[in-house]
Every structure is written in structure tokens, then in C-alpha cells.
Amino acid sequence: MELFGKTVCVIGAGIGGLTAALALRRLGAKVCVLEQAEAITEVGAGLQVSPNGIAVLRALGLEGALSARAVRARAVELRDYAAGQLVSHLDLSLLDGEAPYYFVHRADLITCLADAVRAADVKVLLLQKVNTVVPGARPKVILSNGAEMKPDLVVGADGLHSRLRPVLNGTIAPFFTRQVAWRTTVPNTIGHGPVAQVHMGPHRHMVSYPLRGGERVNIVAVQEQVGWSEEGWQIADDPDTLRRVFADFGGDARALLSEVTDVRKWGLFRHPVAPVWHKGNCALLGDSAHPTLPFMAQGAVMAMEDAWVLGDALQKAATIEDGLSQYQTRREMRTARVVAAASKNAWKYHLSNTPIRKIAHLGLRVASAVAPKKMMGQFDWIYRHDVTQS
């Protein structure tokens, strides 16, 4: 289908929305992005962009812009919580021949995408709060101020609280996973190298990796907890509370936690993958379609993959609806598998002080020493998948 001249409204100027805007604009569509905030910003967090995400950025001409802002990852290290003793070393250089793996501040990736979107003559409208969407041959986007837009295609890339998702699927309440997480960044006073360290403790774990040329360190710490009521990313917490929860963590973990001056806490909720991704020239993308827990570091990357496949499917189809149908067919099994893998991953880091924990850690040590390529190979289905070549 010829996309030249087709009008597209993308709801949400996050990573998925901006990538979709860029992917559709390069195919000739006239794209407008609606963002309810007063500026395109994302603060306070890092993320990991694995080779399957870099493949999309490379195809969009942005790999160089990202690499200039990011730290190239060399390894993932699993460590015991008490003294930081190394349990397993996963060498990311074994992915040689594929796209590289990067650690990047979320705000830096957003800036990279936003600059490219504006350079491509995509309109980005701020302070635009969407009230609802009406699917149809010419769908309507109704804003909270009463204004309406009638593009050829609407893309809902507005995350967990999407305005389009309930229109297509009804309202399905998420359930609390009995896990809460803290996130923050601190100065890199310990000389944290270009590795992701996962400190594994009873019912808790902490991930750290460098950002911004190694000047900062990103921290995500997770604890199992029975109750939680509020779902959100920007709930302020006392740094001393974080330190108290992880007081028995030693090594680099303790040193990093001593540097925390500002921290945000959120409850981890599980949202089901949406059964309906499209209807009436409207489509869901990223977290609005398949929210994922952070334990595989694939949330942002899955949104970027979605964006590329959406454009490719539309270009190859006879009609918008045919393209959207093919988009869901090509994406739903993969994203569901990633969501399931992330949901199952946390327990591996949270084993209690029992013989099972000791046996599990011994197995990891032996496997990473004896068969490092096999250890990395378990992730081939994620990292070696290149949506730009399909």
C-alpha cells in the first residue's frame, strides 16, 4: 500500500511513539504526534538496548546518534548479594557479528528520537490530552478540550494507561505481582565498568550499570512485597528506606546505595497482552498492547520492533486494515513470549538461603565457565531476531 500522503496520528511521544512516527514518515506518511506533557522528556532512568533494538535504530539511521550518548555493554554479571561474589559472567562479546548492546539513559534515547522526528518534518504537538478514540474508516481522536482530529490511521503508543486500549479491549484490571521496585541514578564513584551487575539476594535483587560515558550508574532494586495499591513510576521514596531494605547487600551494591539521594518507587503490576491490537484503522503499539515487567530489559526494544513491523506491514498490504492485521500476526506471538519470559525471570534472582540456592549458583558458575557460548545462546531468540530483515 502506498503510504505517501496518508495522515497518521500517533498518541504518545515515548520511545515507541517516536520510533513509529519516524518509521511511518520515512515511508511517506504525514505524521503528527500528540503528547500530553508540556515537553518531550523522560527523567531518572536508564535502559538497555540489546542488538535486536539496535537493528531497528540502524535501519532508521540512528545507531551513530545513540552510540554517541550510550555506553557499550561488555557483559552481564550475576553476583551474590552478601559480598558481591561473582556467580556467573555472561560475555556479550559472544554476540560479535550482530549489532552491539548498549546502556543508555532513557532521556538520551528520547532526545535522539525526538531530534530525528523533528528533522523528518513530523509535527509534535505538546499539551494535547486525548480523551478517547473512535475507530472507523476515518477514525477520530477526541481531545479533552473538545477538539477532534480525523487521520487515516491512529497509533496508540501511550503506554499502560492508553486511551485506545480500552476502546479496543474493554477494561481489564491488572494484578499486583507482589514485587515493588526502586529506580535511581548515582555518581559513578566506584568505577563501575561497562557491565550490568545483578546482585541476587533472598526475595530481592539489584541491577546496576553505567550511563552517560560512565559518569552515572543506573540502579533498579526489586523486593518481594505482599501489598501495594498505587501503580506509577514517579512515587518518591526516602533513600534511607531503600538502604534499609537492602542493608545486608555488600560489595558494590552497598557502595552504590550509599550514594542515593533521590529515588522513585513503583509497584509492579501484570497487565495481560491485549487480545485485540487493531480495529477501524486504529492500532496499539508497545506497552499499550503488551506491557512487560522489567526482568528481561525488553520493554523499550519491543516497542521499537513494533514500530518497524507496523510500517513494514502497512507498506506490504493492500489496505490499512490488512496491514494492521498482518502487524498483529507478526508481533503477538513474539511479544507474548517476551512478556512470559520476563514474568518468570525474577524468581531466579530471589532464591532464599537454602541448599537450592547454593546448588543453583554452583550450576551457574560451572555453566558460565565451561560453556559460555551455550549460556549466551539461550538468549538468541531475543537478541538475534532482526525485524528489519523479515
Side-chain angles (χ1 to χ4, degrees):
M1 180 182 66
E2 177 60 64
L3 290 179
F4 187 81
K6 296 287 186 183
T7 55
V8 179
C9 177
V10 177
I11 305 172
I15 292 169
L18 293 174
T19 308
L22 196 59
L24 293 169
R25 177 61 185 148
R26 67 184 289 275
L27 297 175
K30 295 180 179 179
V31 185
C32 174
V33 179
L34 302 181
E35 170 55 45
Q36 66 178 349
E38 64 182 11
I40 299 179
T41 58
E42 182 64 55
V43 297
L47 55 83
Q48 301 177 43
V49 184
S50 50
N52 48 314
I54 296 300
V56 175
L57 294 176
R58 177 179 293 169
L60 293 173
L62 295 180
E63 182 182 6
L66 175 78
S67 66
R69 294 175 166 91
V71 173
R72 183 162 182 173
R74 301 301 179 184
V76 176
E77 295 181 345
L78 305 182
R79 294 181 172 271
D80 187 68
Y81 76 104
Q85 182 181 10
L86 182 66
V87 173
S88 178
H89 179 89
L90 302 176
D91 186 354
L92 294 174
S93 71
L94 296 176
L95 294 174
D96 282 351
E98 309 296 323
Y101 196 120
Y102 286 106
F103 304 134
V104 63
H105 198 290
R106 189 180 295 264
D108 293 339
L109 178 55
I110 290 284
T111 298
C112 175
L113 291 166
D115 288 348
V117 160
R118 291 191 174 106
D121 198 27
V122 171
K123 291 183 179 180
V124 180
L125 303 180
L126 305 174
L127 295 172
Q128 303 298 308
K129 186 174 182 180
V130 174
N131 184 39
T132 191
V133 179
V134 182
R138 193 73 181 233
K140 289 195 297 184
V141 177
I142 303 174
L143 303 177
S144 58
N145 62 7
E148 295 184 1
M149 301 180 70
K150 296 181 179 180
D152 295 305
L153 171 66
V154 175
V155 179
D158 44 347
L160 291 177
H161 304 292
S162 171
R163 308 303 288 180
L164 178 58
R165 178 180 168 117
V167 171
L168 303 185
N169 293 274
T171 301
I172 304 174
F175 65 87
F176 180 52
T177 64
R178 296 193 173 188
Q179 297 177 95
V180 297
W182 291 262
R183 68 172 185 170
T184 187
T185 67
V186 298
N188 189 3
T189 58
I190 67 168
H192 198 305
V195 302
Q197 293 188 357
V198 184
H199 298 264
M200 306 177 292
H203 311 292
R204 292 155 298 156
H205 78 276
M206 177 180 135
V207 180
S208 63
Y209 51 85
L211 302 171
R212 292 181 166 168
E215 295 182 359
R216 307 285 296 180
V217 176
N218 188 69
I219 296 174
V220 178
V222 178
Q223 177 197 29
E224 295 175 12
Q225 180 175 304
V226 174
W228 185 265
S229 59
E230 188 172 1
E231 184 180 21
W233 285 77
Q234 293 293 340
I235 302 168
D237 199 16
D238 187 339
D240 287 336
T241 300
L242 172 62
R243 282 187 277 268
R244 185 167 57 251
V245 172
F246 291 84
D248 54 347
F249 277 49
D252 287 350
R254 177 172 296 174
L256 290 169
L257 289 171
S258 71
E259 297 287 341
V260 176
T261 59
D262 180 78
V263 66
R264 297 294 184 268
K265 182 180 182 181
W266 78 101
L268 300 181
F269 284 75
R270 174 73 187 274
H271 297 250
V273 175
V276 179
W277 290 28
H278 70 94
K279 179 182 178 183
N281 289 10
C282 298
L284 299 173
L285 183 146
D287 278 351
S288 64
H290 45 78
T292 183
L293 296 175
F295 305 130
M296 291 296 291
Q298 285 293 302
V301 173
M302 286 299 104
M304 290 190 287
E305 285 190 1
D306 283 353
W308 180 273
V309 174
L310 175 63
D312 187 62
L314 287 167
Q315 186 182 37
K316 293 176 179 177
T319 66
I320 290 178
E321 278 298 299
D322 286 345
L324 298 184
S325 178
Q326 288 302 309
Y327 159 64
Q328 179 170 354
T329 297
R330 288 169 58 178
R331 292 299 295 159
E332 61 183 340
M333 289 186 64
R334 173 165 171 79
T335 54
R337 187 180 179 190
V338 169
V339 168
S343 299
K344 295 175 182 176
N345 214 35
W347 73 269
K348 300 175 184 178
Y349 304 148
H350 292 183
L351 295 173
S352 299
N353 287 320
T354 64
I356 294 176
R357 175 186 178 86
K358 294 179 181 178
I359 293 170
H361 284 195
L362 177 61
L364 286 169
R365 285 191 181 96
V366 172
S368 61
V370 174
K373 288 188 176 181
K374 186 175 181 180
M375 284 285 287
M376 284 305 304
Q378 66 183 306
F379 304 111
D380 280 355
W381 67 275
I382 296 179
Y383 299 154
R384 295 183 185 274
H385 186 85
D386 184 350
V387 295
T388 71
Q389 299 300 315
S390 59

